[in-house]
Amino acid sequence: MEASDTEKITSRQIVNGLSVDVEDWFQVGAFENVIKRDDWDSLSLRVEDNVSRILDLFAAADVTATFFTLGWVAKRNSALMRRIVEAGHELASHGYDHARVFKFTRSEFAEDITTARKVLEDAAGVRITGYRAPSFSIDSRTPWAYMELAEQGYAYSSSVAPIAHDHYGWKEAPRFAFKPLPWSDLVEIPVTTAMFGGKRLAAGGGGFFRVLPYAFSRWAIRQVNRTDKRPAVFYFHPWEIDPKQPRVGNAPMRSRLRHYTNLDKMAAKLGDLVHEFAWGRMDMLAHREAQNPVEMSTDIAA
Ligand SMILES: [Zn+2]
């Protein structure tokens, strides 16, 4: 057996979490200051075509995944929600209209996730038990968020980027599954980071996956699987495989660079990724990881 075959089998032993944050090209956090919420209904919807391509890509690789979907999108694309579920994927919540959790009060957050869940459940006819905060916006400012999710009966959240970043991040949070509340089984599954030179690097997808060479993500996921012996959690967005999306000309240069780089290469890169590693739904990963959470010395959400 070739060394490379042995390596591939080793890294295949852990089933990683594959996720898609289902929002359209005009709903990303980076454009929120230039595209008004009131204008959303006048813009062209591209999310259905893009999710269709993703469903084909996943079917070709025989993988299942979790689609964290905005209530706003589900309300306008109920047939698409049913197609996601019928293909064996998990449908989960990404909130209603991409407002960040740390901008809410607890009661506003409760209303947002209740509304989103109802729209998703009505559209697809399944129960929603997973949640991902828009822009990974659960952090030390939002201790009530986990309480609300637990009280509403969610099984897991994947809403933390345990890293320092300009838009988001909770750098003190554990890198792997933890139970934020001592009285609840709710488990948080942070998005993947890899250790390099004693520092945490964002390695779970988004712009990093698109902008950096594929070899970086391969290295990072292998390191997490082999050294940390944990599953990686990867995410991307439907608009990232859509080079023909309208260009938002008046957004800041930095946002535009991050948003539009390598859109034309993304589908092929995702193809490499889904074929190279073993992937599955986040609810199943959360269920396994809940058996082996990172021990918390105190309730960090308190
Ligand atoms: Zn999002």
Side-chain angles (χ1 to χ4, degrees):
M1 186 179 280
E2 299 275 328
S4 58
D5 290 340
T6 316
E7 280 180 12
K8 187 160 179 175
I9 289 164
T10 308
S11 56
R12 272 195 169 271
Q13 286 172 342
I14 292 182
V15 178
N16 300 291
L18 183 59
S19 60
V20 186
D21 290 0
V22 181
E23 59 208 42
D24 220 325
W25 59 273
F26 49 84
Q27 294 171 319
V28 300
F31 294 155
E32 68 185 358
N33 293 328
V34 286
I35 299 175
K36 292 194 207 78
R37 170 71 179 76
D38 291 345
D39 293 338
W40 285 5
D41 268 314
S42 66
L43 298 167
S44 65
L45 296 183
R46 303 181 65 86
V47 68
E48 182 169 8
D49 286 350
N50 291 329
V51 170
S52 294
R53 291 174 60 205
I54 292 166
L55 290 172
D56 291 346
L57 192 147
F58 288 175
D62 197 21
V63 296
T64 53
T66 293
F67 289 72
F68 293 103
T69 303
L70 291 182
W72 192 96
V73 169
K75 195 172 176 181
R76 288 157 179 80
N77 296 276
S78 54
L80 182 65
M81 301 301 106
R82 289 192 293 278
R83 283 176 57 205
I84 288 170
V85 169
E86 281 160 11
H89 305 294
E90 180 195 9
L91 186 67
S93 172
H94 195 36
Y96 191 77
D97 58 6
H98 219 266
R100 293 182 175 93
V101 177
F102 55 71
K103 296 202 168 170
F104 286 135
T105 62
R106 178 171 175 172
S107 65
E108 288 167 343
F109 176 66
E111 192 185 328
D112 181 87
I113 60 174
T114 302
T115 310
R117 181 185 222 170
K118 181 160 179 14
V119 173
L120 289 159
E121 291 184 345
D122 288 351
V126 293
R127 187 160 161 70
I128 302 297
T129 63
Y131 174 74
R132 169 165 292 152
S135 306
F136 298 103
S137 55
I138 286 182
D139 60 26
S140 58
R141 289 170 287 182
T142 60
W144 37 261
Y146 288 127
M147 296 177 205
E148 197 57 45
L149 288 165
E151 284 178 13
Q152 292 201 20
Y154 282 83
Y156 77 94
S157 158
S158 179
S159 302
V160 167
I163 194 168
H165 182 276
D166 57 352
H167 289 184
Y168 56 76
W170 182 5
K171 61 182 169 44
E172 297 82 15
R175 292 177 58 220
F176 298 106
F178 64 96
K179 292 186 175 176
L181 302 167
W183 48 267
S184 168
D185 284 333
L186 179 78
V187 60
E188 166 64 41
I189 311 290
V191 68
T192 287
T193 55
M195 297 303 292
F196 186 76
K199 283 196 163 159
R200 294 178 180 186
L201 301 182
F208 295 93
F209 179 77
R210 217 167 3 99
V211 173
L212 298 176
Y214 174 64
F216 168 76
S217 294
R218 177 196 284 136
W219 165 82
I221 294 168
R222 280 186 180 169
Q223 189 201 57
V224 168
N225 287 170
R226 291 176 187 175
T227 309
D228 299 305
K229 302 196 176 357
R230 291 279 188 168
V233 172
F234 182 84
Y235 77 99
F236 68 100
H237 307 90
W239 55 263
E240 290 187 272
I241 61 159
D242 184 7
K244 296 197 176 112
Q245 68 190 274
R247 294 299 190 264
V248 181
N250 51 346
M253 175 69 90
R254 188 175 173 165
S255 301
R256 278 186 286 141
L257 274 178
R258 195 178 279 174
H259 191 90
Y260 297 122
T261 301
N262 292 344
L263 295 175
D264 55 336
K265 301 190 178 72
M266 185 69 175
K269 229 170 179 180
L270 283 170
D272 290 344
L273 182 80
V274 294
H275 282 98
E276 179 154 10
F277 295 94
W279 297 99
R281 295 159 50 136
M282 290 294 296
D283 55 348
M284 297 184 185
L285 181 149
H287 183 73
R288 291 190 302 272
E289 287 291 282
Q291 316 305 314
N292 185 26
V294 175
E295 289 302 325
M296 310 294 296
S297 51
T298 54
D299 172 11
I300 60 162

